[in-house]
Amino acid sequence: MTSIGDDAFRDCTGLTSVTIPDSVTSIGSYAFYDTAYYNDSENWEDGVLYIDHWLIEAESDISGNFEIKSGTIGISGGAFYECSSLTSMTIPNSVTSIGDYTFYGCTNLMSVTIGNGVTSIGYFAFYGCTGLTSVTIPDRVTIIGFFAFCYCTRLTSVTIPDSVTSIGGYAFYGCSSLTSVTIPDRVTSIGGYAFYGCSSLTEILVSEGNSAYSSKDGVLFNKDKTKLVCYPAGKETSYIIPDGVMSIGKSAFWDCTGLTSVTIPDSVTFIDNSAFSGCTGLTSVSISNSVVSIERYAFNGCTSLTDVYYGGSEDDWNAIEIGYSNDPLTSATIHYNSVIDTGDADDEPTATVTPGDLNGDGEVDASDLTILVRHVGKVETMEDETTLANADVTGDGNVDASDLTKLAQYVGKIISSLD
């Protein structure tokens, strides 16, 4: 036997004696609750129930600094559940397992020392520990469980050791004070939403030796950078997705409220579910005509989105499979046949150029020609860089009579293209 499940012996009122074999590596929540052994006050020590070398449960009003006694090998699930007066915890080197929900809701827990013997941190282990500001995970831990540090809102730094191979889904979700995190070499699995809701996070770094993940400019990708996995929510900028990226992952930009514009290159064909959901500051997006599928909720909640610069025709746009709950995208002004300039990956983002569209309405017609006439005639000079770039229809770097002639020929249908 290696584990004892949740509620395994709960309400066994005749159970007066328990021996836990050495083979057991985990004990679930409330496993011995309301047994005769549990209800015997003589079995409790300083507000804590131990069985053999396991810490089973603490009284809810336990407070201040607490040190688990040496020789303890495991902490059962929910042992310190909502012990809101607990302020610090010392876990000895003898402990190998921190169970699920162990310190759940310990809102005043400000510091924790985790012994070097710990190899796993269970689901929800430190969920809602809003007083915790930093944590060092010992270098024998291989798994950080689902929701392990979720909503540790004051957590500013975390050290993840090289021993870790898996970071569970939602592990650091809602850690709104976390500014940077480094993924070590051996991590091969990062669960969904692991770093979402981290509104101060500006960079996710990855050790060069990692075989599954990589980073560029603080953004998390898969190893060969064909999939964008997570854009840190604390970045406040416009962003050009690097050429070579083929897909934008599920919720990759979720709740990135500081993101103002994004350029999607020709290599991208797929935008996954909720990719830009909740990006309330996003005002414009440039999408190449290589995109064939935009999944549901991809742009849900993008309440400021007004302009979409699309690299193909209206027919091409209508051929894209766009899932439901993408109203901000489909209701925006679509500028068809825009030139999507992805610039240089190491340069600042460059503006989207739409030759001939001087008033930004997505069409090239007489109104644009009038603007150019007034500019060339020096009646009203254009100063906006994007407008000037759109006016240079000859592509010679100047806006002059030659551009006026070409645009007039296009509007007058003498020529069929400005290319």
Side-chain angles (χ1 to χ4, degrees):
M1 181 174 64
T2 60
S3 65
I4 299 173
D6 295 342
D7 304 300
F9 296 96
R10 182 169 182 155
D11 297 328
C12 291
T13 55
L15 185 63
T16 59
S17 177
V18 181
T19 300
I20 300 174
D22 292 340
S23 58
V24 170
T25 57
S26 68
I27 298 177
S29 301
Y30 304 107
F32 299 95
Y33 183 80
D34 209 23
T35 62
Y37 188 93
Y38 179 95
N39 291 328
D40 186 346
S41 60
E42 293 186 1
N43 293 326
W44 291 71
E45 179 181 336
D46 297 325
V48 173
L49 177 67
Y50 291 95
I51 298 180
D52 290 338
H53 298 296
W54 280 82
L55 190 157
I56 301 301
E57 189 171 333
E59 293 177 346
S60 60
D61 60 354
I62 196 167
S63 62
N65 307 324
F66 188 84
E67 183 173 347
I68 296 172
K69 69 179 182 181
S70 181
T72 302
I73 63 171
I75 308 171
S76 71
F80 293 89
Y81 188 93
E82 293 188 345
C83 291
S84 57
S85 297
L86 189 67
T87 57
S88 74
M89 171 62 59
T90 300
I91 301 172
N93 293 334
S94 57
V95 171
T96 60
S97 171
I98 299 176
D100 301 342
Y101 299 91
T102 296
F103 299 101
Y104 183 106
C106 293
T107 53
N108 286 303
L109 182 64
M110 293 182 288
S111 68
V112 60
T113 301
I114 303 176
N116 292 327
V118 172
T119 60
S120 65
I121 299 174
Y123 300 170
F124 296 89
F126 293 91
Y127 183 103
C129 291
T130 54
L132 197 62
T133 57
S134 66
V135 63
T136 298
I137 299 170
D139 59 10
R140 290 188 64 190
V141 170
T142 58
I143 297 173
I144 299 174
F146 288 90
F147 295 91
F149 296 93
C150 181
Y151 288 125
C152 291
T153 55
R154 294 183 186 175
L155 187 66
T156 58
S157 66
V158 60
T159 301
I160 302 175
D162 290 337
S163 56
V164 171
T165 60
S166 175
I167 299 173
Y170 298 87
F172 296 93
Y173 184 99
C175 292
S176 55
S177 298
L178 191 64
T179 58
S180 177
V181 67
T182 298
I183 309 299
D185 285 349
R186 296 183 184 178
V187 172
T188 57
S189 174
I190 300 176
Y193 302 95
F195 299 102
Y196 296 107
C198 298
S199 56
S200 299
L201 188 65
T202 58
E203 61 178 5
I204 302 173
L205 305 177
V206 179
S207 297
E208 290 186 5
N210 191 289
S211 63
Y213 297 97
S214 63
S215 65
K216 180 177 176 61
D217 299 325
V219 180
L220 181 65
F221 298 88
N222 65 346
K223 182 62 176 179
D224 59 5
K225 295 184 176 67
T226 57
K227 179 179 180 179
L228 194 156
V229 178
C230 182
Y231 185 88
K235 277 182 167 295
E236 295 183 359
T237 184
S238 56
Y239 183 62
I240 296 176
I241 295 174
D243 285 329
V245 173
M246 299 174 65
S247 66
I248 301 171
K250 182 178 180 180
S251 303
F253 291 83
W254 189 83
D255 216 19
C256 291
T257 57
L259 184 69
T260 57
S261 68
V262 65
T263 298
I264 300 171
D266 288 339
S267 54
V268 171
T269 61
F270 180 72
I271 301 174
D272 207 347
N273 178 10
S274 303
F276 296 93
S277 183
C279 293
T280 55
L282 187 65
T283 60
S284 68
V285 58
S286 299
I287 304 176
S288 295
N289 62 350
S290 57
V291 172
V292 297
S293 178
I294 300 174
E295 293 294 285
R296 64 191 185 277
Y297 298 105
F299 290 88
N300 184 52
C302 295
T303 53
S304 300
L305 185 60
T306 56
D307 294 281
V308 176
Y309 297 93
Y310 179 61
S313 66
E314 185 173 3
D315 287 342
D316 294 332
W317 176 261
N318 291 332
I320 299 175
E321 294 183 10
I322 301 178
Y324 57 82
S325 293
N326 276 304
D327 292 347
L329 177 72
T330 55
S331 299
T333 299
I334 313 297
H335 304 273
Y336 301 110
N337 299 307
S338 298
V339 177
I340 310 302
D341 188 350
T342 58
D344 188 292
D346 296 320
D347 292 341
E348 291 296 316
T350 55
T352 300
V353 178
T354 308
D357 181 17
L358 307 190
N359 60 9
D361 65 355
E363 304 291 337
V364 179
D365 51 28
S367 61
D368 301 295
L369 183 61
T370 300
I371 294 172
L372 188 53
V373 167
R374 293 175 66 83
H375 175 82
V376 174
K378 299 183 179 180
V379 176
E380 186 175 352
T381 303
M382 294 181 292
E383 296 182 358
D384 179 73
E385 291 183 5
T386 300
T387 306
L388 286 168
N390 291 344
D392 182 19
V393 294
T394 62
D396 63 358
N398 299 307
V399 178
D400 51 28
S402 62
D403 299 293
L404 181 59
T405 299
K406 186 172 183 178
L407 186 59
Q409 290 176 334
Y410 178 78
V411 173
K413 299 183 178 180
I414 298 172
I415 60 175
S416 60
S417 173
L418 289 173
D419 293 338

